[in-house]
Amino acid sequence: MRHLIDILQLTPEEIDELVAKATDIINHPAAYAHKCDGKILATLFFEPSTRTRLSFESAMLSLGGQVLGFSEAASSSAAKGESVADTVRTVSCYSDIIAMRHPKEGAPLVAAMHSLVPVINAGDGGHNHPTQTLTDLLTIHNEKGRFDHLTVGFCGDLKFGRTVHSLISAMSRYEGTRVVLVSPEELKLPSYVKTEALKKNNIEYIQTTDLSSVMPELDILYMTRVQRERFFNEEDYLRLKDSYILTPDKLTNAKPDLSILHPLPRVNEISVAVDKDPRACYFKQVRYGRYIRMALIMKLLGID
Ligand code: NCD
């Protein structure tokens, strides 16, 4: 039985296979409409979500399976003090595969240790978010046609942004990746991500607070929201929340084939005027999330 807790649990070859499968699903959806007949996905969301939870549910329904779950801790027995281990022991009796989001780093790993069925990490605190990374990779593949020799800029909350940590881990395995880290001093990439992903793989990277100075170099710009829910005090959040706001004028010196990604939700960090720019990929990215999760569910359930 395989779980997906960290993106590095998938080899680059397996990622290629998932991308190919998702592409085939996009082109031939009817061929997949009954692949998961009789299977049940449980979505255990202890934190808010729109895209991740609904795309998982949409993915399972599109495969002919069914879904159950909860979308807030308050409506589960967690509110009575039940442990993650006991919740998962229970839900794995009612389902064939589980997607879990939790505010505590490591909770989905604990869940995997107690589950009778595969567990997918749908975001754990400020740590990781591997299925967003699969979505990002499918987007990058479709926009650029490759994963190697790309300069990827990450901008915003690199400290708490779990999607950033997982995507940096994934991109660090490809040849010629260059990483540009743009954030306020207080929201810099954690040193463990630098050590375990960038330095370990000899990835060339720079850190700056100035987005405009690095804009011309970027093939991909990954914008992120300042993660309000992870701050210890509201004052710091208010001071930092508008550190970067991408507007059309800031894109004038960008490459004509730049791809702008964002895991969403967007708050203020990309002005709506940018949505019309052909380089804005974040709504295409949303769509890919459904198909890559279909491919992943099939893989973890051992269905071809
Ligand atoms: C992200 C998350 O939950 O980490 N959202 C998502 O899953 N698409 C990004 C965020 O909340 O800022």
Side-chain angles (χ1 to χ4, degrees):
M1 183 170 68
R2 276 188 80 178
H3 307 283
L4 181 63
I5 305 303
D6 187 305
I7 191 66
L8 297 182
Q9 289 171 317
L10 294 168
T11 64
E13 292 73 31
E14 286 179 310
I15 288 177
D16 290 346
E17 281 162 28
L18 287 170
V19 165
K21 180 70 78 182
T23 306
D24 195 57
I25 296 171
I26 292 170
N27 294 329
H28 310 283
Y32 293 87
H34 296 287
K35 290 283 186 188
C36 286
D37 281 357
K39 299 290 186 193
I40 296 174
L41 164 78
T43 51
L44 311 187
F45 277 60
F46 296 82
E47 262 197 347
S49 170
T50 298
R51 275 149 293 270
T52 305
R53 186 171 62 84
L54 296 182
S55 67
F56 263 116
E57 297 194 0
S58 171
M60 192 47 144
L61 295 171
S62 305
L63 291 166
Q66 289 177 288
V67 297
L68 52 79
F70 53 81
S71 55
E72 49 179 0
S75 64
S76 78
S77 281
K80 300 179 185 172
E82 188 172 51
S83 67
V84 164
D86 287 1
T87 300
V88 162
R89 273 197 192 102
T90 304
V91 177
S92 66
C93 298
Y94 307 150
S95 59
D96 300 289
I97 186 162
I98 292 173
M100 174 190 274
R101 169 170 289 186
H102 201 285
K104 284 216 175 93
E105 289 80 7
L109 177 62
V110 171
M113 288 156 59
H114 295 91
S115 178
L116 304 169
V117 302
V119 173
I120 302 170
N121 178 4
D124 62 327
H127 188 213
N128 278 333
H129 193 347
T131 65
Q132 181 62 45
T133 298
L134 291 174
T135 303
D136 303 337
L137 291 172
L138 178 58
T139 311
I140 291 170
H141 189 268
N142 283 348
E143 292 301 312
K144 299 288 177 225
R146 65 178 198 278
F147 293 131
D148 55 350
H149 297 95
L150 292 170
T151 298
V152 191
F154 293 87
C155 178
D157 186 346
L158 310 189
K159 179 178 181 188
F160 296 119
R162 56 195 174 194
T163 64
V164 170
H165 306 159
S166 293
L167 184 56
I168 288 178
S169 293
M171 291 304 293
S172 294
R173 294 193 293 189
Y174 297 111
E175 215 184 300
T177 295
R178 289 181 65 239
V179 169
V180 177
L181 304 167
V182 185
S183 74
E185 277 298 319
E186 293 94 325
L187 299 178
K188 274 158 73 175
L189 191 73
S191 55
Y192 82 89
V193 184
K194 276 184 220 154
T195 311
E196 289 169 24
L198 300 174
K199 291 179 187 161
K200 188 173 161 194
N201 293 292
N202 292 318
I203 297 295
E204 189 187 323
Y205 74 94
I206 59 165
Q207 289 191 99
T208 176
T209 55
D210 179 18
L211 178 59
S212 63
S213 68
V214 292
M215 188 68 92
E217 301 173 33
L218 306 180
D219 298 308
I220 293 164
L221 172 57
Y222 196 91
M223 291 296 296
T224 62
R225 168 181 75 91
V226 175
Q227 306 279 299
R228 181 180 202 159
E229 64 275 37
R230 314 263 178 248
F231 277 71
F232 294 112
N233 70 70
E234 183 75 0
E235 265 165 48
D236 287 347
Y237 169 72
L238 294 174
R239 186 166 47 80
L240 294 168
K241 72 182 175 69
D242 293 329
S243 299
Y244 302 97
I245 300 178
L246 190 65
T247 49
D249 57 298
K250 293 187 180 139
L251 286 163
T252 46
N253 63 346
K255 286 188 181 174
D257 66 345
L258 171 73
S259 301
I260 306 165
L261 274 64
H262 190 309
L264 303 181
R266 146 176 72 184
V267 184
N268 234 357
E269 58 281 355
I270 303 182
S271 93
V272 291
V274 174
D275 299 358
K276 291 194 292 284
D277 191 303
R279 293 169 288 189
C281 297
Y282 30 93
F283 290 113
K284 282 192 236 175
Q285 196 180 347
V286 169
R287 180 168 173 266
Y288 294 136
R290 174 182 176 190
Y291 300 107
I292 200 76
R293 288 183 174 96
M294 289 173 76
L296 178 67
I297 289 170
M298 287 176 55
K299 180 177 175 65
L300 296 183
L301 288 177
I303 294 168
D304 187 32

